[in-house]
Amino acid sequence: MKTVLIVEDDLINARVFSKILTKRGGLGVKHTEDVEEVMKIAQAGEADLILMDVSLSRSMYHGKSVDGIKITQMLKSDPQTADLPVILVTAHAMEGDRENFLKQSGADGYISKPVVDHQLFVDQIVALLPKNEP
């Protein structure tokens, strides 16, 4: 079973995403907003994809406040986690944000909140999951 790591500071959103992914997508789910834990899970290969909230209001790393863009940059710059697909999720969906966020972060995809079409949400995630080698 593929596992999606949800990095989200809003517990309601995390629960909704989790329920959609397990029920509709048949996926395993982990959730944390702790940056150290995100890095540990990613480096240990315990997640097949990360769903990253862009504006993490409480996340700190080495004493500094970090958002989803920064965490994605850290993951993408580490050779050990560079190939791990990251999908940004944000409610700040203004014209041009998608391209800016993707370019800044190096993320593999972008989904705006609220998630209305649950099947589309699952499809977007499954499309970026690594395929099993035969």
Side-chain angles (χ1 to χ4, degrees):
M1 178 190 297
K2 299 286 188 194
T3 301
V4 176
L5 174 59
I6 301 171
V7 183
E8 167 67 71
D9 59 2
D10 181 314
L11 282 179
I12 294 166
N13 280 335
R15 276 196 205 112
V16 169
F17 294 163
S18 182
K19 191 167 275 183
I20 296 169
L21 293 172
T22 53
K23 296 254 188 306
R24 281 214 180 207
L27 297 165
V29 173
K30 294 177 184 242
H31 169 251
T32 186
E33 59 177 292
D34 179 301
V35 185
E36 305 273 347
E37 202 175 335
V38 170
M39 301 311 278
K40 199 172 76 188
I41 289 169
Q43 288 164 346
E46 294 172 20
D48 298 292
L49 182 143
I50 298 179
L51 211 49
M52 180 75 67
D53 184 23
V54 170
S55 50
L56 297 163
S57 53
R58 298 183 292 273
S59 291
M60 302 291 282
Y61 191 66
H62 297 304
K64 293 194 181 95
S65 179
V66 292
D67 62 8
I69 302 283
K70 182 68 186 144
I71 300 167
T72 303
Q73 289 169 342
M74 292 174 354
L75 288 164
K76 291 300 183 181
S77 65
D78 179 343
Q80 206 176 343
T81 56
D83 293 334
L84 182 63
V86 178
I87 299 178
L88 300 175
V89 187
T90 182
H92 305 290
M94 303 294 288
E95 189 69 38
D97 277 355
R98 179 177 203 277
E99 294 71 23
N100 277 341
F101 287 150
L102 287 172
K103 192 164 37 175
Q104 273 179 26
S105 67
D108 303 276
Y110 176 100
I111 297 173
S112 58
K113 292 190 265 191
V115 170
V116 181
D117 185 333
H118 293 183
Q119 192 56 55
L120 180 63
F121 177 68
V122 170
D123 292 347
Q124 287 174 292
I125 289 163
V126 169
L128 283 174
L129 280 170
K131 305 294 176 253
N132 288 340
E133 300 300 318

